[in-house]
């Protein structure tokens, strides 16, 4: 669906797709075992704000 919306807006410029809702299902039982391997959301937000400044 995302590819169709991209083609509609950017490639063909027909603008038939007015709204798009992307739904990513939850994966039951998926857990991060090592919390030090990832980045925390707070840190991510701070890094993004610093990047855009």
């Amino acid at each position: 669906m995302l590819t169709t919306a991209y083609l509609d807006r950017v490639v063909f410029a027909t603008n038939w797709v007015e709204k798009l809702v992307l739904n990513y299902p939850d994966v039951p039982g998926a857990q991060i075992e090592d919390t030090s391997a990832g980045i925390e959301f707070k840190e991510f937000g701070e890094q993004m704000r610093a990047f855009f400044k």
Side-chain angles (χ1 to χ4, degrees):
M1 187 67 189
L2 185 58
T3 305
T4 304
Y6 177 80
L7 289 172
D8 176 52
R9 287 281 175 186
V10 179
V11 178
F12 300 117
T14 58
N15 296 328
W16 288 353
V17 178
E18 293 181 10
K19 295 181 182 180
L20 180 66
V21 177
L22 300 177
N23 184 17
Y24 294 97
D26 185 25
V27 180
Q31 296 178 355
I32 298 174
E33 296 295 327
D34 184 12
T35 57
S36 65
I39 186 169
E40 297 292 327
F41 286 111
K42 182 179 178 182
E43 295 171 6
F44 181 71
E46 293 169 358
Q47 290 177 0
M48 290 303 293
R49 280 193 282 287
F51 174 77
F52 284 110
K53 284 185 181 179

